[in-house]
Amino acid sequence: MDAESQSSNENEPRGEPIEKAEGVTVAEKYLGRLCEKSFLSMWSYPGVFRDQGKPQGGGHGKEICDLLVIFSQQVIIFSDKHCKFKNSGNLQQDWQRWFRKAIQKSAEQAWGAERWIRQNPSRVFLDRECKKPLPIDLPSAETAGFHLVVVAHGISQHIKQFFPGSSGSLMINSSVKNFNEHNFPFYVGDLASKKTFIHVLDDDSLRTLMFARDTISDFAAYLNKRKNLLRAQRAICATGEEQLLAVYLKNINEQDEHDFVFPIPVGKNVDKIYLDEGHWEDFQKAPERVAQLNADKISYCWDGLIEKFNYHALQQNQYFVSPGGIKDTEMALRFMAQEPRWKRRGLAQNLLDMLKTTPINKRRLRMLPPIDEGDPHYVFLLLPYLPSFGYEEYRTARRNFLEGCCIVAKLQYPNATNIIGIATESGTNNQDGRSEDLIYLDARDWDANKNDHARELQDKLGIFKRSQRFGMHIEEYPGSEISSARMKNPRNKPCPCGSGKKYKHCCLNK
């Protein structure tokens, strides 16, 4: 299947453009912009509605939640409230009133949204009239992983007033359980220990978190580890979300994943951990953090490429469309969007290096094996556009050649299951008129006939006869101890391309 993006709107839409809500309040609009920037437009939907049990299009729908993120098996439900904190002089009373309006009410909305989506995944709509269904499918209740996030606005200034010198973030105490125990001002714990965990964030901590974990895979992984931490037997207290985030980002667990790892001496029984101010501030100033932020800048080119595909898919004006339409497009783009920030850095660097070093009249092809098991294999193709050919003829030839490259890639990597092909024009002097093709090849069902066909294509078109294979050596924090723990392809381990050689003797040097 394939999906394609173009820089101009020369093709008429093949269907009505998919229009999403923008939010009603200032807070909802801000949340929508923040989520679309991090999770990208294909997977982020503000203000979705349910049809109240009436036939489709037969009534006035009710809003399910303020924002819904759908990505593969991950569903993130945001409930957003901006309530005024009344300062009557009785702090505990003022807190309890604000808590009920801003947090408890939002939590109940989030649980209601989860319940509806689990029971009625086909009855979620983009519009209040319930005539426009979601363009992508929700996962089944059996496989979905739900993350519920309550965003409480307008509280930071009051926290700073009562706790001078603090960040203004809501404070965390995991030993506080259920609604009726949330009596101490500005501390939040587990709202309902027997229900799906609710992550409570104020607007400042949400912004900090979304900028630090600004891909869907990074954000969902953080929420999952956070839930496990705050529902563990050991109590956790923190002066703000950013202090938890600093511990998470600085530490790696035994599975080579970011996690909340605390230096507890072996054999010592610690039943409570307290994180005071300073962890986040120190982390932000650390040289390895500064190096990471600088190194990550190039990765946003990958985000931009995904969004270019997304835009034309949502506008329904792709140059090539496979039979499944936008759902096929979403499946292909999902592989690109599931890459965490540090992997996007390497992918973007490889593609940009090709563009910078390939003359406008030369063809170039590059294959990238996966860094981790389960990652896709990538095929990057640059094909020059020759004015002697018509543009439509060129686009068809490039798309067909890219498909052939993906098929032949299976010969090079027999264990490949998911192959993503991306093609564009050679050279860097045609940015305004640049177009891209995207192809996804499911290479699981592979037999001798397909193998023979791949060899015929390789011989006929000269694909990967003198190929360049590139492995990606990426340090999340360049030059730091965290990076060495994070290395996915140590020099002396088997190369991920499946050659049987050590990485240092194979793709590292190609």
Side-chain angles (χ1 to χ4, degrees):
M1 63 187 70
D2 64 83
E4 188 274 340
S5 164
Q6 54 188 25
S7 56
S8 63
N9 292 329
E10 59 186 295
N11 289 325
E12 292 295 324
R14 291 177 170 82
E16 290 188 12
I18 294 167
E19 297 179 1
K20 301 189 289 185
E22 296 182 354
V24 177
T25 67
V26 172
E28 288 175 355
K29 291 179 180 178
Y30 172 74
L31 177 65
R33 291 194 300 270
L34 197 60
C35 288
E36 185 161 304
K37 183 178 183 297
S38 293
F39 307 140
L40 308 179
S41 56
M42 181 68 76
W43 301 281
S44 183
Y45 296 90
V48 294
F49 298 86
R50 59 184 174 93
D51 61 4
Q52 302 279 67
K54 297 179 180 180
Q56 183 175 340
H60 203 59
K62 183 176 181 180
E63 187 176 79
I64 299 174
C65 60
D66 295 307
L67 192 137
L68 180 66
V69 175
I70 311 157
F71 190 88
S72 185
Q73 304 306 308
Q74 305 290 328
V75 179
I76 307 177
I77 295 170
F78 286 88
S79 183
D80 184 269
K81 286 287 185 297
H82 194 299
C83 298
K84 186 176 181 180
F85 188 92
K86 295 182 179 179
N87 191 353
S88 69
N90 186 333
L91 178 58
Q92 186 167 5
Q93 178 177 284
D94 294 338
W95 161 256
Q96 289 176 334
R97 288 176 176 173
W98 182 87
F99 177 87
R100 285 194 293 270
K101 292 179 181 178
I103 296 179
Q104 184 171 339
K105 189 174 180 181
S106 290
E108 289 168 349
Q109 181 193 29
W111 284 319
E114 178 194 8
R115 185 168 55 251
W116 177 268
I117 291 170
R118 284 185 182 276
Q119 295 173 356
N120 306 281
S122 63
R123 291 166 60 190
V124 179
F125 298 87
L126 298 177
D127 61 322
R128 192 175 291 278
E129 290 72 29
C130 298
K131 294 180 179 179
K132 301 175 181 177
L134 287 171
I136 60 177
D137 292 330
L138 281 155
S140 68
E142 293 75 22
T143 60
F146 280 84
H147 308 277
L148 311 186
V149 181
V150 162
V151 183
H153 296 270
I155 193 64
S156 295
Q157 60 181 328
H158 299 284
I159 297 175
K160 292 177 182 177
Q161 178 184 345
F162 285 101
F163 296 95
S166 75
S167 65
S169 219
L170 282 168
M171 292 168 280
I172 299 159
N173 184 351
S174 66
S175 61
V176 177
K177 307 290 184 183
N178 305 316
F179 290 141
N180 59 353
E181 293 185 20
H182 282 76
N183 299 318
F184 197 83
F186 311 124
Y187 274 90
V188 178
D190 191 347
L191 301 185
S193 55
K194 296 187 182 300
K195 293 185 178 181
T196 302
F197 188 84
I198 298 274
H199 300 272
V200 181
L201 303 170
D202 57 88
D203 39 7
D204 286 349
S205 59
L206 174 70
R207 182 172 58 252
T208 299
L209 175 57
M210 294 281 279
F211 277 100
R213 300 280 84 189
D214 64 347
T215 73
I216 183 66
S217 55
D218 288 327
F219 189 79
Y222 178 81
L223 293 186
N224 193 53
K225 291 291 195 298
R226 185 182 189 273
K227 175 198 68 176
N228 294 340
L229 174 72
L230 299 182
R231 280 195 164 168
Q233 187 173 1
R234 181 187 295 124
I236 300 292
C237 288
T239 56
E241 186 66 36
E242 66 278 7
Q243 312 307 332
L244 279 183
L245 181 58
V247 172
Y248 177 88
L249 292 175
K250 289 191 293 185
N251 290 281
I252 303 292
N253 64 19
E254 293 180 355
Q255 288 73 47
D256 203 21
E257 301 167 337
H258 277 294
D259 206 345
F260 299 98
V261 179
F262 300 99
I264 300 172
V266 177
K268 188 170 183 179
N269 185 22
V270 176
D271 59 4
K272 193 169 190 177
I273 293 175
Y274 180 79
L275 297 174
D276 58 5
E277 299 280 353
H279 292 274
W280 178 249
E281 293 75 14
D282 291 344
F283 174 68
Q284 287 289 83
K285 296 174 185 176
E288 49 265 60
R289 172 61 170 171
V290 175
Q292 179 199 35
L293 293 175
N294 286 329
D296 280 345
K297 289 177 181 178
I298 196 171
S299 70
Y300 293 95
C301 296
W302 192 254
D303 298 43
L305 179 59
I306 298 170
E307 273 300 88
K308 196 176 180 187
F309 284 121
N310 283 342
Y311 173 79
H312 289 286
L314 293 171
Q315 290 296 310
Q316 301 281 306
N317 64 358
Q318 297 161 280
Y319 204 93
F320 295 110
V321 182
S322 54
I326 192 170
K327 292 184 180 180
D328 280 356
T329 304
E330 187 271 335
M331 183 185 298
L333 287 169
R334 197 188 307 158
F335 286 99
M336 297 177 66
Q338 74 185 7
E339 304 289 0
R341 178 60 56 203
W342 68 278
K343 290 184 183 178
R344 295 186 191 195
R345 191 195 305 164
L347 291 163
Q349 184 69 64
N350 266 279
L351 191 53
L352 290 176
D353 283 349
M354 287 179 67
L355 286 168
K356 290 176 182 177
T357 59
T358 305
I360 194 170
N361 62 341
K362 298 294 184 181
R363 186 185 85 189
R364 195 167 185 188
L365 192 57
R366 181 176 289 186
M367 296 195 326
L368 278 71
I371 293 178
D372 285 318
E373 185 178 354
D375 289 353
H377 290 67
Y378 284 96
V379 174
F380 293 162
L381 168 66
L382 303 183
L383 193 68
Y385 171 54
L386 303 177
S388 56
F389 288 88
Y391 183 70
E392 185 173 342
E393 196 175 11
Y394 164 74
R395 293 303 304 273
T396 301
R398 190 179 74 187
R399 186 259 182 205
N400 291 339
F401 191 80
L402 177 61
E403 183 177 11
C405 293
C406 291
I407 292 170
V408 175
K410 179 70 172 180
L411 289 178
Q412 308 295 103
Y413 295 91
N415 294 327
T417 53
N418 299 303
I419 300 173
I420 297 294
I422 298 172
T424 188
E425 291 88 355
S426 302
T428 58
N429 59 348
N430 57 350
Q431 297 301 320
D432 293 338
R434 182 173 297 284
S435 62
E436 295 84 16
D437 295 303
L438 172 67
I439 283 181
Y440 164 56
L441 174 64
D442 184 346
R444 289 171 178 80
D445 183 18
W446 204 260
D447 55 27
N449 290 334
K450 291 182 179 179
N451 222 45
D452 291 341
H453 176 57
R455 292 197 183 280
E456 288 175 6
L457 286 175
Q458 185 177 42
D459 293 338
K460 180 180 178 181
L461 301 176
I463 300 173
F464 292 133
K465 286 289 189 177
R466 291 176 294 174
S467 62
Q468 287 182 285
R469 301 186 191 183
F470 285 81
M472 291 188 290
H473 172 78
I474 311 165
E475 295 181 344
E476 184 176 11
Y477 298 96
S480 75
E481 293 181 2
I482 303 175
S483 299
S484 62
R486 186 83 181 157
M487 278 182 59
K488 295 295 181 177
N489 292 321
R491 293 171 58 85
N492 292 312
K493 286 193 173 182
C495 186
C497 75
S499 66
K501 300 177 182 178
K502 290 182 179 180
Y503 179 54
K504 65 182 179 182
H505 296 312
C506 192
C507 288
L508 180 62
N509 296 314
K510 291 185 178 180

